Amino acid sequence: MYVLNPVKFNKPVPALIKLAVLAPFEITPDIVLVPELVTDRLLLTLMFPAVRTLVVIVKSFKGLEPPTAPDKVIFADPVLIDRFLNDAIKRKSGTVLVSAHFGSWEILGHWFGVNNYPLVGIAQRQKNKGANLFFEEKRQLSGIKQVYRKSSMDSLYDVLNANEILGLVSDQDAKRKGVFVDFFDKPASTHQGAALFHLNTNASLIFGICVQKNIGHYQVEFIPINPDKKSVEDITQLYTSEIERSIKKYPEQYFWFHNRWKTKQ
């Protein structure tokens, strides 16, 4: 048993831990660290960004601290906000926002809401009803909406037909329903919804993340996805590669505790 008080790990911690901190593009996920290499400091390095984000969410939920006040959010390239995000909305064909469990992903959604962008995020329903209600109410406070996975496809297309922004977090194992693309040079089953929505509606496709710079300060980054090829696999590879590039740049900000390569090709 690997112990990190008050968290206990009852199975070997995968090499994604070392992958995140030391060399994200050199170690394969098939390697399992031996117990003596799984240190408290190593685990805390990965857990701290997620815990810090949760604290900010709770403060926001209780009205103690607005997490996306103008003095707390910067942009990697402010021109991109108008050039890509606003231009995408002006096209009136809807916008598909692809993101990942990276940095302060909940803060990214909050930023959209308080800045009056019509974001509708696809969320996973939590098994714990209290936790599910907490996150649903927290998200709606900022002005964004959410629908749950397995909602009708018509309702999702309605979002795009209304020229709103459909947000998808597309970095987890998609099991047998996914398309296999390269993620750190290894085939990974990946959700293809963003690619399908883009192909079927001609909606703009944008990748976005919220990087945690310091406590309570964030950097929002947007990158347009402009595929030359019009296949689901090619488009899915494009935004998966953007996720990979972001992880290489900020490896400590990715939520590594998901088995990304669980489904084998």
Side-chain angles (χ1 to χ4, degrees):
M1 179 181 293
Y2 308 91
V3 179
L4 172 63
N5 293 328
V7 180
K8 294 183 179 180
F9 297 89
N10 292 312
K11 58 183 180 180
V13 179
L16 300 185
I17 291 175
K18 189 174 182 181
L19 189 70
V21 178
L22 303 179
F25 41 86
E26 295 180 358
I27 304 172
T28 70
D30 293 325
I31 303 173
V32 177
L33 296 178
V34 296
E36 54 266 27
L37 293 181
V38 184
T39 65
D40 286 1
R41 181 176 180 180
L42 196 58
L43 290 170
L44 283 170
T45 299
L46 294 182
M47 293 179 68
F48 185 64
V51 173
R52 187 166 58 184
T53 297
L54 181 60
V55 171
V56 172
I57 290 171
V58 172
K59 285 185 176 181
S60 169
F61 184 72
K62 293 185 176 181
L64 300 177
E65 177 180 317
T68 52
D71 63 328
K72 295 185 177 181
V73 177
I74 61 174
F75 299 96
D77 188 345
V79 176
L80 295 185
I81 299 298
D82 184 66
R83 185 178 171 189
F84 297 126
L85 185 58
N86 293 335
D87 278 0
I89 294 174
K90 291 176 183 177
R91 289 184 58 208
K92 297 187 180 300
S93 58
T95 302
V96 176
L97 173 72
V98 182
S99 192
H101 292 90
F102 179 95
S104 300
W105 64 88
E106 289 284 352
I107 303 302
L108 179 63
H110 191 280
W111 179 87
F112 273 91
V114 298
N115 286 281
N116 299 315
Y117 286 102
L119 176 67
V120 180
I122 300 178
Q124 173 68 45
R125 191 183 297 275
Q126 302 296 315
K127 294 180 180 179
N128 183 294
K129 292 183 179 180
N132 191 73
L133 180 62
F134 168 80
F135 282 107
E136 182 176 345
E137 291 182 349
K138 190 282 308 177
R139 290 163 181 154
Q140 291 177 350
L141 279 176
S142 68
I144 67 173
K145 302 175 184 177
Q146 76 171 34
V147 294
Y148 290 107
R149 288 181 59 189
K150 299 184 179 180
S151 297
S152 72
M153 294 302 294
D154 286 344
S155 67
L156 302 181
Y157 280 108
D158 285 344
V159 173
L160 298 175
N161 291 334
N163 196 34
E164 296 180 326
I165 302 170
L166 184 64
L168 301 91
V169 179
S170 302
D171 65 322
Q172 294 193 337
D173 179 77
K175 302 180 182 178
R176 290 300 169 190
K177 293 182 179 180
V179 58
F180 281 90
V181 296
D182 288 339
F183 185 60
F184 289 100
D185 298 320
K186 195 173 183 69
S189 176
T190 305
H191 290 282
Q192 54 188 313
L196 289 171
F197 286 124
H198 168 72
L199 289 173
N200 292 337
T201 66
N202 199 34
S204 300
L205 189 57
I206 294 178
F207 172 71
I209 55 173
C210 181
V211 181
Q212 196 154 33
K213 303 301 288 185
N214 294 300
I215 295 179
H217 290 81
Y218 313 94
Q219 177 173 292
V220 174
E221 301 181 8
F222 292 114
I223 299 172
I225 306 295
N226 298 312
D228 293 326
K229 299 179 180 180
K230 297 297 183 180
S231 74
V232 169
E233 184 175 352
D234 288 326
I235 297 171
T236 306
Q237 182 65 71
L238 284 176
Y239 56 73
T240 300
S241 295
E242 291 298 341
I243 295 173
E244 181 177 321
R245 275 189 281 272
S246 298
I247 295 170
K248 287 181 179 180
K249 190 175 180 180
Y250 309 102
E252 78 287 351
Q253 303 233 1
Y254 190 53
F255 191 77
W256 286 102
F257 296 93
H258 172 75
N259 188 351
R260 184 64 182 86
W261 294 270
K262 182 178 181 178
T263 302
K264 305 301 180 183
Q265 192 171 25

